[in-house]
Amino acid sequence: MPNFAYRGRSGGGDLVEGILEGATAGAVADLLFGSGVTPIEIKPTAVAADKVASGAGINIQLFKKKVEHMDVLLFSRQMYTLLRAGVPIMRALAGLQDSSTNPAMQDVLQDVRQSLDSGRELSVSLARHPSVFTPFYISMVRVGEMTGRLEEVFIRMFDHLAFERFMQDQVKSALRYPSFVVAAMGIAIVIVNIFVIPAFAKVFKGFGAELPLMTRILIGFSDFMLNYWHVLMLGIVGAVFAFKAWVKTPRGRYTWDRLKLKIPIAGKIVRKATLARFAAAFALATRSGVPIIQALTNVAETVNNAYISAKVEKMRDGVERGESILRTSITAGVFTPVVLQMIAVGEESGALDDMMKEVADMYQSEVEYELKTLAQQIEPILIISLGIMVMILALGIFLPLWDLGKVTMKK
């Protein structure tokens, strides 16, 4: 359908501008009157409504603020409260748009309202913003529309998003101390190689004697940093960009996500957190009335791990062939025996959603414990690494001085 740019006055007398799709200008006017806007001017335009929402074709804003995870979290909670109170969805969206403190979220809600005015469903309107609402979110909203339990879906999505935010905050908190220690070690290495070792190298050259191997290695590395620091910086930057480009490829992301699960200490936390996300999303989908096959398809997009996602898709394929959830879970090879036992009980009793919720809670508890003790688990590794670094520096610097002392004593 063609697009029409309009100008009008809201019920409060404010000037309203935008773009709507419609068969004719009269149809657009009817939509505006239905939303409480009195049109002043309606004319055809070649700019699409989604271009207006994103700012393309009108204004290009650098460093434009993005919609954050917290914005979607609050949107879900507030939509549940308003819909449960009987507020019409258009009025609810208008109220949330006015109360939002993020201009980017206001633009998204404005576009969603315009899309609803055009006769689209809420799930279709939200799907116009894939960077804000995930496929799983859209699927759950669509289920809520089909079953008439939209407010229930929003509160469950709020709980799901709150769980994901909690996991992310816990990981950041646990990695803060190790990150500071590793950064301090890196800065110390740079300072030693730039200022300390060159000073000792001048002294060692005056000995006129052969230096120990460790000392020669330290001096060589220090000279390389001083003479080819630009090459080293370019190499590091190039390696970072190459890694990011590789991870963005389907094969690279799959390989990296599989390798992350094998990293000592961190790997088991990543696996448990991913499976907790899977179990929580699967329980949410099945409780909302989503068919098993569709639920597995949607959940595969939410685990945020290409390797686990591929395993979930294989589970879906097995269910399509008529296999049980338990059998496909065993074949996946990512669940613990306790979890497999709970899946078996849930499938046999018909309470699979309750069992998956128990699995999510169990994994969440384990992840919380692992994150609380993460600093204690990493501390020995950091101490050993720091000790090795100090030993290398001590051997490289003090061995020649020790040899010089012995020569002096002999004389």
Side-chain angles (χ1 to χ4, degrees):
M1 289 189 296
N3 299 299
F4 293 87
Y6 68 88
R7 295 174 61 248
R9 294 286 181 182
S10 64
D14 297 327
L15 181 64
V16 179
E17 296 180 350
I19 293 179
L20 284 177
E21 292 180 0
T24 63
V28 174
D30 292 338
L31 291 174
L32 291 173
F33 279 120
S35 61
V37 176
T38 302
I40 299 174
E41 180 184 17
I42 299 176
K43 59 183 180 180
T45 180
V47 180
D50 55 348
K51 295 296 185 181
V52 176
S54 62
I58 296 180
N59 285 320
I60 299 177
Q61 299 181 3
L62 297 178
F63 309 109
K64 184 179 180 181
K65 191 173 182 180
K66 297 181 179 180
V67 178
E68 303 292 341
H69 185 275
M70 179 59 72
D71 295 319
V72 183
L73 185 70
L74 294 177
F75 168 78
S76 303
R77 177 66 187 185
Q78 292 167 345
M79 282 295 293
Y80 161 74
T81 303
L82 293 172
L83 293 178
R84 187 182 181 186
V87 179
I89 189 168
M90 288 297 297
R91 190 188 303 172
L93 291 172
L96 294 182
Q97 179 184 350
D98 294 337
S99 62
S100 177
T101 58
N102 188 342
M105 191 63 182
Q106 291 179 351
D107 293 340
V108 170
L109 294 178
Q110 173 67 20
D111 181 71
V112 171
R113 291 176 59 200
Q114 292 179 354
S115 180
L116 288 173
D117 278 336
S118 301
R120 298 188 180 95
E121 297 177 343
L122 178 61
S123 58
V124 178
S125 302
L126 296 178
R128 291 159 60 90
H129 303 275
S131 61
V132 178
F133 302 101
T134 63
F136 180 70
Y137 197 105
I138 303 302
S139 299
M140 295 305 302
V141 172
R142 186 176 296 113
V143 170
E145 292 173 330
M146 295 171 57
T147 59
R149 297 187 295 179
L150 194 58
E151 67 278 1
E152 184 178 345
V153 166
F154 275 119
I155 190 59
R156 288 182 176 178
M157 287 307 304
F158 168 78
D159 294 335
H160 179 70
L161 294 173
F163 167 74
E164 288 193 340
R165 181 176 178 83
F166 170 79
M167 299 284 286
Q168 295 173 0
D169 292 342
Q170 287 291 314
V171 171
K172 291 180 181 179
S173 176
L175 294 179
R176 187 173 295 116
Y177 168 72
S179 299
F180 281 134
V181 174
V182 172
M185 291 174 59
I187 294 174
I189 291 175
V190 172
I191 293 176
V192 167
N193 280 279
I194 293 178
F195 299 103
V196 178
I197 294 180
F200 278 95
K202 295 179 181 179
V203 177
F204 295 155
K205 288 180 181 179
F207 291 171
E210 183 179 359
L211 298 175
L213 176 62
M214 187 63 66
T215 305
R216 295 200 302 269
I217 292 175
L218 289 177
I219 294 176
F221 184 70
S222 176
D223 292 338
F224 177 79
M225 286 191 64
L226 291 173
N227 298 325
Y228 300 98
W229 62 268
H230 54 285
V231 177
L232 187 61
M233 292 296 296
L234 288 176
I236 294 175
V237 173
V240 171
F241 277 101
F243 175 77
K244 289 184 177 180
W246 175 69
V247 170
K248 289 181 179 180
T249 63
R251 184 62 184 174
R253 184 185 177 189
Y254 178 87
T255 304
W256 172 239
D257 287 344
R258 180 171 57 85
L259 292 176
K260 283 194 298 187
L261 303 178
K262 299 180 180 180
I263 299 176
I265 299 177
K268 61 181 180 181
I269 299 178
V270 173
R271 178 185 294 271
K272 291 178 179 179
T274 303
L275 293 179
R277 189 181 298 111
F278 158 78
F282 187 76
L284 172 61
T286 51
R287 282 183 173 182
S288 301
V290 181
I292 296 295
I293 295 177
Q294 182 183 349
L296 290 173
T297 301
N298 296 337
V299 170
E301 300 174 348
T302 68
V303 294
N304 198 27
N305 186 291
Y307 177 74
I308 299 295
S309 178
K311 295 292 185 181
V312 176
E313 291 177 352
K314 288 183 178 180
M315 291 175 59
R316 179 202 60 198
D317 296 338
V319 173
E320 287 182 331
R321 292 192 299 266
E323 299 179 8
S324 64
I325 297 292
L326 176 61
R327 183 176 180 84
T328 57
S329 301
I330 295 174
T331 306
V334 294
F335 298 102
T336 61
V338 176
V339 174
L340 294 175
Q341 184 178 0
M342 296 180 70
I343 293 176
V345 172
E347 193 170 24
E348 184 176 354
S349 62
L352 185 59
D353 54 343
D354 293 332
M355 290 296 101
M356 294 306 293
K357 186 63 172 63
E358 292 293 334
V359 170
D361 293 340
M362 184 186 70
Y363 272 133
Q364 180 179 354
S365 300
E366 292 185 7
V367 170
E368 289 180 23
Y369 175 78
E370 294 287 350
L371 291 176
K372 289 179 181 178
T373 60
L374 180 61
Q376 301 176 6
Q377 299 180 57
I378 295 179
E379 188 173 349
I381 300 177
L382 296 177
I383 293 176
I384 293 174
S385 301
L386 183 61
I388 293 175
M389 185 183 72
V390 173
M391 182 183 67
I392 292 174
L393 292 175
L395 291 176
I397 293 176
F398 293 112
L399 272 180
L401 298 178
W402 178 257
D403 293 339
L404 177 62
K406 290 193 296 183
V407 172
T408 304
M409 291 177 63
K410 290 180 179 179
K411 290 181 180 182

